[in-house]
Amino acid sequence: MATIPLHPPPANFTAAHALLGRLYLEHRDFLRRLLLGQAIPPRDVDDVVQEVFITAWRRLECLVTPEQARPWLLMIGLNRARNHRKLVRCEREVLAGLSDDFPEREDEAESTEALVLATYGLFRLKRFLLRIGPRIRAVVVPYLEGRSIREIAEALGIKTKTAYARISLARRHLQTLALA
């Protein structure tokens, strides 16, 4: 157990600060495990834990007793995990190649983990692309490469609305695969 150096608190330090500090020390590891179990990528877990405690700070008056902190933080953590997954789903990534996805080999374990995660991601992408039909695949692959819907529609000789509809079908199919 690490000892925390004792410094006198600042003049504006309140009981709420002390409570939040205690909650952070007692429940940080619990929240990290919870968020990892909620499919939050390990690179984002610490950020989401901080968001949980920011929300807890803002709503500290809702906490009736410190004994109820764990279920209270659990609900905040689950809500933050859900919000994080929604935001990540809306991010657009361009698949440019494996060399762009990996940092320089700072640590052998981290680069190995990144390689395994990238390989698994590519395997899942390949499986997804094989499951969708060729007409949908013809729209999805250029979309993943970063081309606009208008460019894809012109290249394939289809209407823009048709291209949007095929992307929507692909998204729905991807959601059913994620739930399975």
Side-chain angles (χ1 to χ4, degrees):
M1 175 180 244
T3 59
I4 301 172
L6 185 59
H7 299 288
N12 60 355
F13 193 78
T14 63
H17 288 94
L19 176 62
L20 187 68
R22 188 176 125 215
L23 291 177
Y24 181 79
L25 291 174
E26 290 177 4
H27 301 291
R28 178 188 58 221
D29 294 331
F30 164 72
L31 286 170
R32 287 190 93 255
R33 288 189 308 272
L34 170 78
L35 294 171
L36 285 170
Q38 291 293 315
I40 303 297
R43 67 178 184 271
D44 296 338
V45 167
D46 289 329
D47 293 336
V48 179
V49 167
Q50 295 302 322
E51 290 176 10
V52 168
F53 282 104
I54 289 171
T55 304
W57 173 250
R58 289 181 183 151
R59 298 181 183 161
L60 202 56
E61 69 276 353
C62 297
L63 182 62
V64 178
T65 63
E67 291 78 28
Q68 296 173 340
R70 184 167 275 209
W72 182 62
L73 289 171
L74 171 80
M75 292 309 300
I76 294 173
L78 291 175
N79 288 335
R80 281 291 166 187
R82 185 188 68 232
N83 291 345
H84 183 77
R85 285 192 306 268
K86 283 181 184 178
L87 290 173
V88 169
R89 183 180 63 203
C90 296
E91 287 181 0
R92 184 172 174 186
E93 294 183 17
V94 178
L95 301 175
L98 287 177
S99 62
D100 298 335
D101 295 336
F102 298 114
E104 295 299 320
R105 297 179 67 138
E106 299 168 5
D107 182 21
E108 185 67 32
E110 289 180 8
S111 64
T112 304
E113 180 183 350
L115 177 64
V116 169
L117 289 174
T119 305
Y120 181 65
L122 289 174
F123 168 75
R124 290 182 64 194
L125 176 63
K126 181 180 177 184
R127 187 177 67 188
F128 167 70
L129 290 174
L130 290 174
R131 287 189 179 183
I132 60 177
R135 295 188 310 173
I136 297 174
R137 190 180 316 120
V139 175
V140 169
V141 172
Y143 184 75
L144 290 174
E145 292 172 348
R147 296 179 61 194
S148 71
I149 295 292
R150 181 175 289 151
E151 292 173 343
I152 296 169
E154 289 173 2
L156 295 175
I158 59 176
K159 295 179 182 179
T160 306
K161 286 186 178 183
T162 304
Y164 275 114
R166 290 181 185 174
I167 291 292
S168 177
L169 285 171
R171 284 184 180 135
R172 277 192 237 131
H173 190 71
L174 190 59
Q175 284 176 344
T176 59
L177 286 178
L179 296 175

